[in-house]
Amino acid sequence: MKNKIQKLNTNATKPPKAVVWCRVSSREQFEEGFTVDKQARMGKDYAREVGADLAKSFEVPESAAGKKERTFFKDMMDYLRKHDVKILICERVDRITRNFNDYVLINEWLEENEERQVHFMRERMVVHKNAKSDIKFRWDIHVVLAKKYSSDLSENIREGLMEKGEQGWYPGTHKAGYQAIRPDGSRRAIWIIDKSEKSEAPYIKKLFDLYVNTTNSAEKCRDILYEEGWTRRGKKVTKNAIFGLLADPFFCGDFLYKGKLYRNANHEPLVSREVWDRAQEKRTKKQSGKYNKHIFAYRGPWLVCGVCGFRITAEIQKGIVYYHHTHYGNCERKKHRWIPEKEMEKAVLQFLDVFEVLKGSKVLDEITAALKESHVAEMEYHNNAIKDLEQKYDTLQRRRDNLYIDKLDQKIPLDRWERLDKDCEAEQQRILNTLERHKNANTNYFELGAKMLEIAANAKQIFINRKKPEDKHKILQFLFSNLTLKDEKLSCTYTKPFQLIAERARGNDMWRWRESNPRSMKGV
């Protein structure tokens, strides 16, 4: 790292206490050497270097996730307060703040005492209550980008599952009446009809036959099969579960995944398509869908009433688009003025004024420089991760080559060579999959952060230039998480990245936020 570690400036007779937070975000990282033990050692050395007294290391095992990980985080925050710990050390921002809830809790902890600090070792960044605005902004952006990187990795996994679906393989983990097998050590699951003694397949097949060939209701069919022995945990299959089975296209050779229907899949159907179609005819009534003729720029889940929280709708009257309350629910305010779309647009444009001051601002240059500096550290970490994976792949290939020579020289039996070679091949494939996810994930934090700043600086003009309602609709969805209409005043909440940029813009005196915000619809 080019930046040197700065020792703590303190007049205390004893060195301040420090805690190290250690966490890996995936099994792949754990297996690639990014272990909690390694982070703990780095934290211990770092604490000694800055002159802090290491009190405790909180090491989150790689198997922990969800609620379990949240428990570790809560324990750490409780420990910090109970033992008056002033220094929190972490390897990277994304090790501790990949969600905004944790970010808020750490911020609150910092604001309670100006002596408290959070040190990020890789970014060489120290955040505290009186830190300069560009440091706080860097942290804010790192949090947003860490969340983005995490989302990219998840998205790559989802895309892999979607591609599996396109190839005709069901990407799910469970299907009643079927079992997933992986022949010859393959990582791809093949779904076959379960023919074990406890299989539900015979009952599901008979359920369809009874349902389509008799006048019995689904519930009556369930009762008949219950008498024949079909139970789940010793009880009748629930009515909802029965209807779910009858509606599942998996049993006729198709499958639904993430809302998309994949036809003619590779698994063996349990019932014929004709039987399944007849079941659907009986199960459902023909419904006439409504076609939404008009797309309104401002209508969406983000536009709600500030009194009752119900959505604001839109309609056209005499060629003019108006926005008004839906009148659903028990709104305390019984009368609501219909707002012309032009007034809505004037208010939104004033919300975008906050970003206008970014143009030509010195602070913008400083922020961009800070992002570029932190990007060097991010890319070093990213490239080292890829390099380690490639080295492991090459090591496995050399091992496979040596095993093949040993087989030719009859140093190892054929069956053992086949087993070891398949193990190595499977591990190589896992490494390739991990490499692909790393390479596809957006790690160019500098470009992404700079692009967000560019979009923010030009948001108003971009919005003005878009004439089609659907284009404006997309921009609003991108910039705002919430628009609230109350007493003919429109207030807004920006989406997280732009909320952070707006707050920093105001905090750096780049723009004096008018006391009249939120904007009055009458005054614009």
Side-chain angles (χ1 to χ4, degrees):
M1 299 295 175
K2 293 183 179 181
N3 296 342
K4 294 181 179 180
I5 298 176
Q6 296 182 355
K7 288 188 174 293
L8 296 170
N9 294 322
T10 176
N11 296 324
T13 55
K14 293 182 179 181
K17 295 179 182 179
V19 156
V20 177
W21 172 264
C22 311
R23 166 186 171 272
V24 292
S25 57
S26 66
R27 180 175 293 275
E28 284 83 0
Q29 286 187 346
F30 180 80
E31 293 174 350
E32 290 154 17
F34 307 115
T35 63
V36 291
D37 292 338
K38 182 178 179 181
Q39 292 176 40
R41 290 194 300 272
M42 290 174 60
K44 184 177 181 180
D45 293 340
Y46 182 93
R48 183 173 60 252
E49 196 167 348
V50 299
D53 180 19
L54 185 60
K56 187 177 177 65
S57 293
F58 282 85
E59 302 175 7
V60 184
E62 62 85 20
S63 59
K67 292 182 179 180
K68 192 173 182 180
E69 185 176 325
R70 293 289 302 166
T71 300
F72 278 98
F73 184 83
K74 182 180 181 300
D75 290 344
M76 180 193 70
M77 296 304 298
D78 291 343
Y79 184 90
L80 291 174
R81 287 189 167 90
K82 182 178 180 181
H83 297 275
D84 193 27
V85 176
K86 297 293 195 301
I87 309 297
L88 172 58
I89 300 171
C90 185
E91 183 199 8
R92 292 159 46 89
V93 173
D94 64 359
R95 290 287 176 263
I96 196 169
T97 52
R98 274 202 176 181
N99 66 74
F100 297 122
N101 292 331
D102 294 347
Y103 162 79
V104 170
L105 292 175
I106 294 174
N107 245 346
E108 290 176 349
W109 176 74
L110 290 173
E111 291 297 319
E112 291 171 4
N113 189 321
E114 62 182 14
E115 295 182 7
R116 294 173 178 173
Q117 300 178 358
V118 181
H119 291 241
F120 298 107
M121 293 182 283
R122 284 198 180 271
E123 288 90 355
R124 290 299 190 262
M125 183 168 63
V126 180
V127 184
H128 51 86
K129 182 177 181 179
N130 299 321
K132 292 183 178 180
S133 60
D134 63 320
I135 294 294
K136 290 185 176 180
F137 184 77
R138 280 179 60 195
W139 184 33
D140 293 341
I141 290 296
H142 271 291
V143 172
V144 173
L145 297 178
K147 182 70 171 67
K148 177 69 167 59
Y149 180 72
S150 177
S151 299
D152 282 347
L153 288 176
S154 299
E155 184 178 343
N156 291 333
I157 294 172
R158 288 195 299 271
E159 288 177 355
L161 294 174
M162 297 296 280
E163 177 59 29
K164 184 178 179 181
E166 293 290 347
Q167 295 175 7
W169 301 101
Y170 178 60
T173 57
H174 173 74
K175 190 59 67 174
Y178 284 79
Q179 62 178 149
I181 62 170
R182 290 176 171 80
D184 301 325
S186 172
R187 295 176 62 86
R188 172 174 291 167
I190 296 176
W191 293 88
I192 62 172
I193 296 175
D194 185 3
K195 297 182 179 179
S196 66
E197 291 183 3
K198 296 183 179 180
S199 172
E200 292 185 285
Y203 294 111
I204 296 172
K205 182 175 174 57
K206 190 166 184 179
L207 170 67
F208 276 92
D209 291 338
L210 284 172
Y211 190 65
V212 302
N213 294 318
T214 69
T215 58
N216 293 330
S217 65
E219 194 170 5
K220 179 63 175 176
C221 294
R222 183 271 310 265
D223 292 340
I224 293 173
L225 293 171
Y226 174 69
E227 295 296 329
E228 296 183 6
W230 188 18
T231 63
R232 286 184 175 178
R233 296 181 180 179
K235 299 180 180 179
K236 286 184 181 180
V237 182
T238 65
K239 186 177 179 179
N240 287 340
I242 290 293
F243 275 112
L245 293 170
L246 289 172
D248 194 342
F250 189 91
F251 299 113
C252 72
D254 303 333
F255 65 84
L256 273 170
Y257 186 72
K258 300 296 183 182
K260 182 177 180 180
L261 178 63
Y262 296 86
R263 294 192 174 276
N264 301 315
N266 296 324
H267 64 271
E268 180 185 355
L270 189 62
V271 299
S272 68
R273 192 172 298 276
E274 179 187 0
V275 169
W276 192 83
D277 288 339
R278 288 170 60 192
Q280 305 321 297
E281 291 176 6
K282 183 176 179 180
R283 186 183 64 84
T284 62
K285 295 180 180 179
K286 191 173 182 180
Q287 298 177 347
S288 57
K290 292 183 179 180
Y291 175 65
N292 190 3
K293 185 178 180 180
H294 299 287
I295 297 177
F296 298 99
Y298 300 89
R299 186 174 71 179
W302 58 81
L303 182 60
V304 297
C305 172
V307 178
C308 66
F310 273 81
R311 289 189 188 182
I312 301 298
T313 189
E315 60 181 271
I316 300 175
Q317 293 288 340
K318 296 182 179 180
I320 300 175
V321 177
Y322 290 92
Y323 293 82
H324 63 88
H325 198 281
T326 58
H327 298 296
Y328 291 113
N330 298 317
C331 188
E332 294 178 5
R333 185 174 179 179
K334 300 303 180 184
K335 292 183 178 181
H336 297 269
R337 176 175 171 245
W338 286 35
I339 310 297
E341 187 168 78
K342 288 184 178 180
E343 293 187 21
M344 296 284 289
E345 180 153 334
K346 287 180 182 179
V348 168
L349 289 176
Q350 288 182 335
F351 294 144
L352 300 181
D353 280 342
V354 68
F355 302 120
E356 285 288 288
V357 292
L358 289 171
K359 295 179 179 179
S361 169
K362 291 183 179 180
V363 176
L364 179 60
D365 295 335
E366 293 173 1
I367 292 170
T368 304
L371 284 171
K372 188 173 183 179
E373 180 183 335
S374 65
H375 172 63
V376 174
E378 296 293 343
M379 288 308 299
E380 180 181 343
Y381 167 80
H382 181 69
N383 291 335
N384 285 339
I386 292 178
K387 184 177 178 181
D388 289 343
L389 287 168
E390 290 174 342
Q391 287 177 347
K392 288 192 174 185
Y393 183 92
D394 292 340
T395 299
L396 286 167
Q397 187 58 49
R398 288 193 296 271
R399 186 179 301 171
R400 291 184 70 185
D401 293 341
N402 291 334
L403 284 170
Y404 184 73
I405 293 173
D406 287 344
K407 184 200 74 166
L408 294 178
D409 293 341
Q410 297 182 349
K411 292 182 178 180
I412 58 173
L414 180 61
D415 59 343
R416 187 184 177 195
W417 170 78
E418 289 177 343
R419 186 175 66 257
L420 294 174
D421 187 69
K422 284 182 180 179
D423 290 343
C424 289
E425 184 181 17
E427 182 64 14
Q428 282 183 314
Q429 186 59 51
R430 188 195 65 79
I431 290 174
L432 288 175
N433 293 339
T434 306
L435 269 171
E436 189 67 21
R437 289 200 298 273
H438 273 289
K439 290 178 179 179
N440 288 339
N442 191 347
T443 57
N444 198 333
Y445 286 6
F446 166 61
E447 288 186 7
L448 181 58
K451 194 67 176 176
M452 284 195 300
L453 291 169
E454 180 184 347
I455 291 171
N458 296 283
K460 184 175 181 179
Q461 195 58 47
I462 292 172
F463 189 78
I464 292 172
N465 291 340
R466 297 298 184 271
K467 303 301 181 184
K468 294 181 179 180
E470 52 266 37
D471 292 340
K472 289 182 179 291
H473 186 93
K474 291 177 181 178
I475 294 172
L476 287 170
Q477 190 175 15
F478 185 62
L479 293 173
F480 299 102
S481 62
N482 187 262
L483 291 171
T484 303
L485 190 60
K486 182 179 181 182
D487 299 330
E488 299 179 17
K489 294 179 181 179
L490 192 68
S491 60
C492 77
T493 303
Y494 303 97
T495 51
K496 203 65 182 184
F498 297 100
Q499 181 74 23
L500 296 172
I501 294 172
E503 289 173 358
R504 291 297 170 229
R506 299 167 194 158
N508 282 284
D509 294 326
M510 293 189 293
W511 187 67
R512 295 187 180 278
W513 188 244
R514 301 175 190 176
E515 293 297 325
S516 58
N517 185 59
R519 306 296 181 183
S520 169
M521 302 300 296
K522 294 179 180 178
V524 291

